[in-house]
Amino acid sequence: MNAGRLCLLLHVLMCTSLVVHTFEPFTTTLAVGVGAALGRKIYYYFTESCDSNWIDFNATGLQVDLESKLFGQHIASRIILKAVTGFMSNDNPKKPLVLSLHGWTGTGKNFVSQLIADNIFNEGMKSSFVHIFTSELHFPHSSKFDTYKSQLQQWIKGNVSNCGRSMFIFDEMDKMHPGLIDSIKPYLDYYDKLDGVSYRKAIFIFLSNAGGESITQTALDFWKAGRDREELELRDLETVLSLSVFNNKKSGLWHTSLIDKNLVDFFVPFLPLEYRHVVQCAMSEMKARGDTPDMKVADLVARDVVYFPKSERVFSVKGCKTIESKLDYYT
């Protein structure tokens, strides 16, 4: 609870107490009733609810965060900003927003999900309306495939029934059992309502390393041809990425009807990071810690990262994944 809300709570409680104690005895029942009503208001004010007090999209905030905190992802930043802004600005979308984020580890997929949540929900990733599924944690056993399908449907239906503006994040899609994600296909389709529940205002985000090789190869080809990475556009990657994911048994989206029926709105490629981006990550992490960003330290951290191809050392193998722990060593 932030300081402002706490002060307001104390102020209201003090005022309520004063009201109760200054009434004459024969008005005590009325005073208690007033106190109870105020108590309910306080409860609902401080308890997250599915309304504009707790869910309020900040398009400018998302744009600033993407520009200042996400490095080396000009394609992903542009897609995410336009897709989320357009969707959240529409009071009557035809279907849920479905984003599939792809790329190697450490390139920013989870981080972008956090930025989206932070700029939609007051509580960000801590919001009770943000739900994260991790394949190895929630769906570990192939023998329980049918059980998982039923549970997944129930979880989504129950949460969307509670709040239409729910957000679902599926991490480690490349480790999900093939066909499991198809169980939620009806919820992502162009239906007004299913069993009285509308899913149109929900957001579904899939995170996967699948397709990372094709993205990296395209980026490497651009580099070898002497072209700037900023020249890379979505059309250079989208088709090869969707085909790679659809035909990869380890993608979690293998031969899925979500792709076949065009229910995934955007396949978002996350490019492999270069040395300069790792430096930016280190500088940003120092700032986030409350330290004065030190270019010398950032340079030491970036030099300590493993790059490939071995001879040219162009792209970071783990992106910015290990920056936090390496800063602990150099500071």
Side-chain angles (χ1 to χ4, degrees), residues 11-308:
H11 176 72
V12 173
L13 288 175
M14 290 173 64
C15 291
T16 303
S17 176
L18 181 62
V19 169
V20 171
H21 285 88
T22 54
F23 275 117
E24 295 298 326
F26 65 84
T27 61
T28 300
T29 301
L30 174 61
V32 172
V34 171
L38 285 172
R40 285 194 296 272
K41 289 183 178 180
I42 292 170
Y43 173 79
Y44 287 118
Y45 185 80
F46 289 97
T47 302
E48 188 181 25
S49 55
C50 185
D51 56 41
S52 58
N53 291 321
W54 295 90
I55 303 175
D56 186 20
F57 177 56
N58 184 352
T60 301
L62 179 58
Q63 181 176 2
V64 171
D65 282 347
L66 290 171
E67 290 175 351
S68 62
K69 299 178 181 180
L70 182 66
F71 308 115
Q73 305 298 350
H74 65 284
I75 299 175
S77 293
R78 186 163 58 244
I79 297 172
I80 295 296
L81 181 60
K82 289 185 177 181
V84 176
T85 300
F87 180 76
M88 292 300 297
S89 301
N90 187 352
D91 290 330
N92 188 30
K94 299 298 183 184
K95 65 179 290 296
L97 177 62
V98 183
L99 303 173
S100 194
L101 316 186
H102 299 267
W104 277 8
T105 184
T107 53
K109 302 185 298 298
N110 281 284
F111 185 56
V112 159
S113 301
Q114 176 187 321
L115 295 183
I116 294 173
D118 286 346
N119 286 284
I120 293 179
F121 305 94
N122 286 9
E123 296 294 295
M125 292 293 284
K126 295 179 181 179
S127 171
S128 58
F129 307 127
V130 176
H131 312 280
I132 303 175
F133 300 99
T134 303
S135 296
E136 291 191 327
L137 176 63
H138 295 100
F139 318 112
H141 307 295
S142 58
S143 59
K144 297 183 179 181
F145 182 82
D146 290 334
T147 300
Y148 294 151
K149 287 176 64 175
S150 177
Q151 288 178 340
L152 188 53
Q153 291 172 342
Q154 292 173 11
W155 286 336
I156 292 177
K157 181 179 180 179
N159 284 304
V160 175
S161 297
N162 183 46
C163 183
R165 281 292 189 192
S166 293
M167 178 170 153
F168 301 92
I169 301 171
F170 291 82
D171 199 3
E172 299 180 344
M173 279 294 294
D174 47 302
K175 298 176 182 177
M176 182 177 283
H177 306 300
L180 178 57
I181 202 64
D182 274 345
S183 64
I184 68 169
K185 184 255 181 189
Y187 305 142
L188 309 186
D189 216 328
Y190 292 82
Y191 294 113
D192 184 19
K193 289 185 178 181
L194 291 171
D195 293 331
V197 179
S198 174
Y199 298 85
R200 292 184 170 193
K201 291 186 176 181
I203 296 177
F204 293 81
I205 302 177
F206 304 136
L207 311 180
S208 178
N209 292 341
E213 290 185 4
S214 60
I215 295 170
T216 298
Q217 187 59 55
T218 302
L220 188 59
D221 290 342
F222 261 63
W223 180 82
K224 289 181 178 179
R227 301 175 66 180
D228 292 335
R229 75 187 273 128
E230 284 71 21
E231 292 182 50
L232 268 168
E233 297 185 18
L234 179 60
R235 64 171 177 263
D236 297 311
L237 292 159
E238 190 171 34
T239 300
V240 66
L241 178 57
S242 60
L243 288 174
S244 173
V245 172
F246 185 76
N247 293 314
N248 185 346
K249 287 187 176 182
K250 294 183 178 181
S251 73
L253 293 170
W254 178 67
H255 285 193
T256 176
S257 60
L258 304 188
I259 297 178
D260 195 38
K261 299 298 182 181
N262 298 310
L263 298 181
V264 177
D265 296 296
F266 291 97
F267 289 93
V268 186
F270 280 70
L271 303 173
L273 301 183
E274 299 176 5
Y275 170 85
R276 57 190 167 115
H277 304 127
V278 178
V279 170
Q280 289 177 304
C281 288
M283 295 287 282
S284 180
E285 177 61 24
M286 282 185 273
K287 184 177 180 180
R289 294 183 177 191
D291 300 330
T292 301
D294 188 329
M295 181 59 76
K296 290 184 178 179
V297 173
D299 181 67
L300 287 172
V301 170
R303 289 177 182 275
D304 197 29
V305 171
V306 179
Y307 296 87
F308 74 96

